[in-house]
Amino acid sequence: MMTLNTFMSPFYEDEAGTMMPGICTGWSVSEDGLIYTLTMDPAARFSDGTQVTAADLKFSWEYLTWPETASWASSYLTGPIVGYAEVVAGSTRELAGLVVVDDATLEITLSEPYTPFNKALTLNVGGVVKKENVLSGDDWDTNPVCCGPYKLESWNKDSGELNWVTNEHWWKTPPTIQKINYRYVQDPNTQGIMYDNNEVDVIQPADILAAQLKVGPNVAELLPIPQGGTVFFAFDTTRAPFEDANVRRALLKASDMGTIIQAVFQGGANPAFGLTSPNLAGFANPGPYFDPEGAKAALAASTYGSADSLPPISVRVPTNVTEYVRVAEALQQMWKETLGVDVTISLRAQGEEADDGISQVFRLSFGTLFNDPAVIVAGLGLSTNSFMVNWVKAQNADLDAILIDANTRPSEEVEKRIELSQQAEAMLMEEAYYIPIIWVEYYFATKPWVNGLKSNSVLSLYTLPEMTISKH
């Protein structure tokens, strides 16, 4: 929500998906699609008054890629750049494909053409940080040098409250709103109470609260965000019994997600029967995957043969999304009734590691980082991308080949790229690496006195500097 307004990226998208200048004023790409050249805005300044240069952008992307940064999103920006694998492996600190030509020019060389790379330039994870600040110590993030219209004034990590004030060195139109207060509230009921009591002006409601608001009296205050996404369970294929595709298929086919989502969300959310969300051009509108007899056949065909031979299975679910705890509980009962499989639910409290080292199934989600037909299937399926590397841990050469073909074909071949993306989605579902839960619709709930709020595909409030608050 505030990343772009704190660490400005080279470009950003508006609500229509148009690229807008951030710390850069222009870009170009070579005819072979391998070399991108970015031109920095000479007026761009950090909050300490120093100029933002191409060297700062280079370091920021390298820092994003360092293994100790542990960014879930680095592969979606720096993954296509020459030298990415070496930096992720820790064998070098610099991306060979980033060359500072001069203070105003950064040259980027890709390992192979990547059609959506210009869209990746708009991701807020590509925002600029200052090297000296980042390397000053572990607490740099509570006192960062910023390059957005706002700078962080305070961050209480215990309470989850952050405050921003305007950046006096912001080089574009000065913001009208002088101070931003953010409070991290996990519980959807508390979110709703605070909103109803006018304790907050804007919230991004939890999925269950958004579902309730959509059928309630404040529906007119819901502002749709041009981002889609999918919530799902992911299998760690390196942990038994999920190295066996038939065990994964058995649990997928034993999941009546249509019935579960209706019960949990009361009609306020759509069950997902695939991975590509409806806001993307590659959406194929697949039918339900629930097939109890097919589930039994898959389990019988597995190397384990029956539920009695399976090792203990644990599903890891964060406690701040109580609706998905209920989904997991429903699946626990459903898998037992259909397959005789016993499952335990591991609840992850705020601050705990997402992976407890024991569980094999994890509740995760993926938003459409930008509008491209392959963005979700490549994000979840390409073996070099973060979800496969960190969660599913599978290598599938056939799937990689399809996704690389989709990502390297020119944008003019949109129909072929959609066809390839749909092939990849079908393969992902056949391999049962994931169990889709819902296709997410994102919203901000905004009070009537909030004027000018607009958001984009990565949830950035890009109009924040121009927004106003009316008297109320």
Side-chain angles (χ1 to χ4, degrees):
M1 187 183 298
M2 284 296 295
T3 304
L4 180 73
N5 287 293
T6 310
F7 305 105
M8 181 58 66
S9 53
F11 302 90
Y12 64 91
E13 287 188 345
D14 65 12
E15 62 180 348
T18 303
M19 286 181 69
M20 307 296 289
I23 59 162
C24 291
T25 57
W27 64 279
S28 61
V29 60
S30 60
E31 288 188 10
D32 61 7
L34 290 175
I35 300 175
Y36 285 72
T37 303
L38 304 189
T39 302
M40 308 293 293
D41 187 336
R45 294 292 184 274
F46 284 111
S47 55
D48 64 0
T50 57
Q51 186 173 7
V52 181
T53 68
D56 296 311
L57 180 55
K58 176 179 183 290
F59 169 78
S60 300
W61 288 8
E62 289 167 344
Y63 172 71
L64 175 73
T65 312
W66 289 353
E68 65 266 34
T69 303
S71 168
W72 71 269
S74 65
S75 63
Y76 307 112
L77 173 60
T78 59
I81 298 173
V82 170
Y84 173 80
E86 291 77 9
V87 175
V88 169
S91 58
T92 182
R93 306 293 274 177
E94 297 189 37
L95 285 163
L98 296 182
V99 175
V100 175
V101 178
D102 52 42
D103 282 354
T105 311
L106 182 68
E107 187 177 271
I108 306 164
T109 302
L110 307 186
S111 301
E112 57 193 2
Y114 177 52
T115 299
F117 188 71
N118 64 314
K119 296 181 180 181
L121 296 174
T122 68
L123 295 177
N124 53 27
V125 296
V128 176
V129 296
K130 188 163 185 175
K131 182 176 183 179
E132 295 80 5
N133 178 226
V134 170
L135 300 182
S136 64
D138 292 339
D139 62 346
W140 76 271
D141 56 349
T142 61
N143 190 31
V145 176
C146 309
C147 63
Y150 290 88
K151 62 182 181 181
L152 188 67
E153 181 183 49
S154 64
W155 180 6
N156 186 324
K157 293 187 177 181
D158 292 327
S159 67
E161 184 169 352
L162 298 91
N163 289 285
W164 284 265
V165 294
T166 56
N167 174 11
E168 62 271 29
H169 294 288
W170 175 242
W171 62 97
K172 300 185 182 185
T173 304
T176 301
I177 298 173
Q178 297 294 299
K179 187 168 184 174
I180 306 294
N181 171 263
Y182 175 89
R183 283 171 277 180
Y184 178 63
V185 179
Q186 298 183 53
D187 180 55
N189 291 326
T190 305
Q191 280 188 354
I193 291 170
M194 292 175 67
Y195 187 75
D196 289 341
N197 291 342
N198 297 333
E199 297 177 50
V200 291
D201 301 303
V202 178
I203 61 171
Q204 186 190 342
D207 294 340
I208 189 67
L209 179 57
Q212 294 165 355
L213 290 170
K214 284 167 65 177
V215 296
N218 294 323
V219 62
E221 296 176 8
L222 277 179
L223 175 70
I225 299 171
Q227 181 195 42
T230 309
V231 181
F232 47 82
F233 289 105
F235 293 107
D236 184 335
T237 64
T238 66
R239 294 178 183 171
F242 297 112
E243 81 288 352
D244 190 317
N246 275 315
V247 178
R248 302 194 302 268
R249 292 183 187 113
L251 294 194
L252 171 70
K253 292 176 180 292
S255 304
D256 184 1
M257 205 57 71
T259 298
I260 292 174
I261 297 309
Q262 175 60 37
V264 172
F265 289 87
Q266 296 295 305
N270 296 315
F273 301 127
L275 294 166
T276 296
S277 56
N279 66 311
L280 296 178
F283 179 63
N285 196 21
Y289 47 75
F290 180 52
D291 177 7
E293 295 307 312
K296 295 172 184 176
L299 183 57
S302 73
T303 55
Y304 296 89
S306 68
D308 294 338
S309 301
L310 296 174
I313 295 174
S314 174
V315 179
R316 185 80 161 156
V317 184
T319 56
N320 66 315
V321 283
T322 55
E323 60 269 37
Y324 297 109
V325 176
R326 293 174 60 196
V327 170
E329 290 170 344
L331 285 177
Q332 183 183 42
Q333 179 179 348
M334 197 169 284
W335 292 342
K336 177 66 174 177
E337 292 175 351
T338 304
L339 299 170
V341 174
D342 290 310
V343 172
T344 60
I345 298 174
S346 171
L347 297 178
R348 174 171 66 88
Q350 180 66 24
E352 292 183 350
E353 291 291 334
D355 186 354
D356 58 2
I358 299 171
S359 297
Q360 310 102 314
V361 190
F362 301 87
R363 202 289 315 188
L364 302 168
S365 63
F366 192 90
T368 50
L369 302 171
F370 40 77
N371 197 331
D372 183 83
V375 65
I376 286 185
V377 289
L380 297 179
L382 199 60
S383 64
T384 54
N385 274 344
S386 300
F387 265 87
M388 272 292 176
V389 171
N390 297 325
W391 295 106
V392 176
K393 304 171 188 173
Q395 296 279 339
N396 189 317
D398 292 336
L399 179 60
D400 279 351
I402 294 172
L403 290 170
I404 290 170
D405 193 4
N407 278 338
T408 55
R409 286 180 178 266
S411 56
E412 292 78 12
E413 295 185 27
V414 61
E415 294 304 322
K416 183 61 178 179
R417 296 189 68 232
I418 288 174
E419 177 187 333
L420 290 165
S421 300
Q422 291 175 347
Q423 288 179 21
E425 181 178 29
M427 186 176 291
L428 281 165
M429 294 300 294
E430 173 60 25
E431 292 295 326
Y433 294 131
Y434 304 96
I435 299 179
I437 303 174
I438 66 169
W439 287 309
V440 184
E441 295 175 335
Y442 292 97
Y443 298 88
F444 284 115
T446 62
K447 290 297 181 179
W449 50 80
V450 176
N451 307 305
L453 186 150
K454 294 181 180 180
S455 186
N456 60 16
S457 62
V458 289
L459 309 179
S460 295
L461 298 179
Y462 70 91
T463 59
L464 185 57
E466 292 83 41
M467 285 171 54
T468 61
I469 302 293
S470 301
K471 288 183 178 181
H472 57 279

